[in-house]
Amino acid sequence: MSGIRSIGIRTALFPLPLALGLLGTAALPAGAIGSHTSRSGKSLTCRGKGVDPDALVRHRTETVINAPLRTVWKLQTDVERWPSWQTPVETVERLDHGPLRKGSAFRWTTPIPPNPSTPATSLEITSTVQQIKRNSCIRWTGPAIGEGLRIDGVHVWNFTKVKGGVRVSTEETHTGAQVEADVPTATKILREGLEAWLRDLKSAAEARAHNRYFQEHA
C-alpha cells in the first residue's frame, strides 16, 4: 500500500485523553487489569495466528469479567453496538451481514485530539476478521487512517472461562512511520487504549449480567 507495510489494525490507540483493541498464565482478581509490554514471552494467538512479531509497538493486557462467557462474547462481537458502551467509538458500519465470522469486515471511527506529531482528526479503521473461534478467540486486521496519520496493526483477543467469570486477554501491535518515530509514547498510548477498552467491556458485561440475574429472580 503505497510503500507502507500493511499488517492491519483493530486499534485501541486513541481512546480517551490520548491520541492513539497477555501471558494469561494466572487469572487476576476480578476488576484488576494486568499489563505486559515486553517483546519476550509467548504472544496470544487465534487458530495459530498472532500479532506481528517484528512490530516495535506492542502491548498485551487482561482482566477478569464477572459475567457469563456468552455475554462477554456477544458484546465484543456485536460490533455495530460498540458505540453504546464504548465512548471513544463514534460510528460502526458492518460491511457484511450475519454473525461475525472469518472474512467479516467493519468500518468504524473515533476522534483523535491533537498531539505533538499530528493535528486533531478523526481516525477511520477498516477491520477484517482473519481468524475467529466462537467463545474463544478473534484476530482482526486493517489500516487506521487519519489526517497526517496511518497506523497498521494486528489485534488478537482470547476469552477463557475461569473461576469468577471470564478472563479476557488482548494483544496488539502497531507499525507505521508516526508510531515508530516515538515507540515509548506510542506504546503508552496503546496500553492506555487497550486498558480503557477492557474497562468498558467489563463494566458493560457485568451490568448486563447483573440486570439479567435480577430479571430472572424477580
Side-chain angles (χ1 to χ4, degrees):
M1 294 185 183
S2 302
I4 298 177
R5 180 179 173 206
S6 176
I7 56 169
I9 199 174
R10 155 318 307 190
T11 77
L13 35 49
F14 32 67
L16 312 180
L18 292 167
L20 287 188
L22 308 264
L23 293 177
T25 54
L28 297 174
I33 295 179
S35 299
H36 186 69
T37 57
S38 172
R39 291 173 59 86
S40 63
K42 187 176 181 180
S43 290
L44 298 179
T45 62
C46 184
R47 294 190 179 276
K49 300 293 185 178
V51 294
D52 180 4
D54 299 320
L56 298 177
V57 179
R58 63 178 56 235
H59 188 70
R60 60 177 174 249
T61 186
E62 66 175 16
T63 193
V64 171
I65 299 176
N66 184 18
L69 177 56
R70 66 180 181 275
T71 299
V72 178
W73 181 261
K74 175 66 173 175
L75 279 167
Q76 182 71 345
T77 58
D78 190 1
V79 298
E80 290 176 296
R81 293 185 180 273
W82 280 358
S84 70
W85 57 271
Q86 290 196 78
T87 302
V89 179
E90 291 184 323
T91 66
V92 182
E93 175 191 6
R94 274 291 297 271
L95 303 181
D96 63 331
H97 303 284
L100 209 64
R101 58 193 181 278
K102 183 175 180 179
S104 288
F106 51 98
R107 183 177 298 115
W108 51 293
T109 61
T110 186
I112 303 182
N115 67 88
S117 60
T118 60
T121 185
S122 180
L123 194 69
E124 182 178 272
I125 306 105
T126 302
S127 299
T128 301
V129 176
Q130 304 294 347
Q131 285 80 29
I132 187 169
K133 183 176 181 181
R134 183 175 175 81
N135 292 328
S136 178
C137 66
I138 312 171
R139 177 179 177 268
W140 61 56
T141 66
I145 299 173
E147 184 179 352
L149 174 67
R150 179 184 174 112
I151 304 169
D152 296 290
V154 180
H155 201 165
V156 179
W157 293 84
N158 285 180
F159 304 84
T160 308
K161 284 187 177 181
V162 296
K163 184 177 180 180
V166 180
R167 181 175 65 232
V168 180
S169 305
T170 186
E171 183 172 14
E172 186 169 1
T173 52
H174 291 168
T175 61
Q178 291 87 356
V179 294
E180 290 168 1
D182 187 347
V183 171
T185 297
T187 301
K188 177 178 181 289
I189 289 168
L190 175 59
R191 172 179 60 80
E192 295 191 4
L194 289 177
E195 291 178 356
W197 190 322
L198 284 185
R199 284 194 298 271
D200 286 345
L201 179 60
K202 177 179 174 65
S203 177
E206 291 181 352
R208 181 172 293 190
H210 177 81
N211 291 339
R212 181 169 298 169
Y213 175 85
F214 279 97
Q215 289 172 1
E216 293 174 352
H217 294 81

